[in-house]
Amino acid sequence: MRSLIERYYEEAFFESPCGEDQYVNQHTNGICVIGVAPGHPILAEKKRVKKVNFDITNKSRLDNKVVGKGKKGGIWLEAATPLCTIECEDGSLYTLRCCIRGSLLEVNDRLVQQPTLIGGSGGSGDGSSGSSSAGVLGGDLSLTEGFLAIVMPKKDEMDDVTKGLTSYHDYCTKKGLPITRQKIPEAEKEYVFE
């Protein structure tokens, strides 16, 4: 049985030149979920996250408010716009970016109180996944409860969001990660229309 992510999202990855990769999972309705990819040092080196800070450029992403059915009022973000900074217990600091153009609908404010959702599997509470990188791709909290933000691209750009990104299968092959999902033909994808 396919997971929720496999059924309803197109998985893509932004590969940073410095190795700080992020995922962009685009729902069938066009909305994108952004988070830390398995190739990012936080997950690859199983670092423990100490703090997630959404206060960027004198404007807190936590203060973002959208209203109505059309989700008006969200902060407009470019691909290189910082979403947050993540500080690890070893002293390393990472700035995570939006990776796509769109309107910020929501940031995961749970990360402020529970930063170990990034990289955690939920069981140990120590921030490590407790398993190999297969666990990172196969059901780790980083893909679900540990997401960073939800972004809505412009309607006329929704089809092109993942074109400049790396597909799930190509990413796993490049990073030497196990491929735990089958390629799903376009005709078999489940779509949700609102």
Side-chain angles (χ1 to χ4, degrees):
M1 184 169 184
R2 296 191 319 247
S3 72
L4 179 79
I5 292 172
E6 290 174 274
R7 284 189 308 235
Y8 297 113
Y9 291 85
E10 179 179 352
E11 296 174 88
F13 295 87
F14 169 76
E15 292 185 272
S16 169
C18 56
E20 297 176 11
D21 302 343
Q22 291 177 245
Y23 68 78
V24 177
N25 291 341
Q26 186 175 27
H27 191 273
T28 53
N29 66 11
I31 292 175
C32 297
V33 178
I34 298 169
V36 180
H40 194 288
I42 293 171
L43 298 181
E45 299 170 19
K46 296 183 176 159
K47 295 184 177 192
R48 182 173 167 84
V49 177
K50 180 180 175 183
K51 181 180 178 184
V52 178
N53 184 1
F54 288 102
D55 293 327
I56 304 291
T57 61
N58 298 327
K59 182 159 182 155
S60 176
R61 304 291 187 234
L62 294 169
D63 295 336
N64 184 62
K65 301 285 185 230
V66 294
V67 294
K69 186 177 177 183
K71 308 295 183 208
K72 303 288 183 204
I75 301 169
W76 181 258
L77 304 171
E78 295 293 329
T81 304
L83 283 173
C84 67
T85 57
I86 296 178
E87 182 181 348
C88 296
E89 289 194 349
D90 67 357
S92 53
L93 185 67
Y94 301 98
T95 299
L96 285 94
R97 305 192 181 280
C98 187
C99 306
I100 61 169
R101 290 169 30 95
S103 178
L104 181 64
L105 299 184
E106 173 184 341
V107 293
N108 188 356
D109 57 358
R110 287 183 59 198
L111 295 176
V112 174
Q113 298 299 319
Q114 297 175 288
T116 56
L117 288 174
I118 297 173
S121 61
S124 64
D126 66 356
S128 66
S129 66
S131 65
S132 69
S133 37
V136 173
L137 289 171
D140 184 59
L141 291 179
S142 297
L143 290 172
T144 54
E145 295 178 49
F147 74 94
L148 298 174
I150 299 174
V151 176
M152 182 172 60
K154 285 184 180 178
K155 287 189 183 212
D156 58 341
E157 295 179 5
M158 282 186 185
D159 293 337
D160 299 329
V161 166
T162 58
K163 284 192 178 168
L165 304 174
T166 306
S167 72
Y168 167 81
H169 287 84
D170 291 343
Y171 184 79
C172 289
T173 302
K174 284 181 185 178
K175 299 295 180 178
L177 298 170
I179 297 175
T180 59
R181 305 180 200 338
Q182 296 177 1
K183 284 189 178 181
I184 301 169
E186 192 66 30
E188 292 182 27
K189 286 188 178 177
E190 298 175 37
Y191 290 95
V192 175
F193 297 100
E194 295 180 356

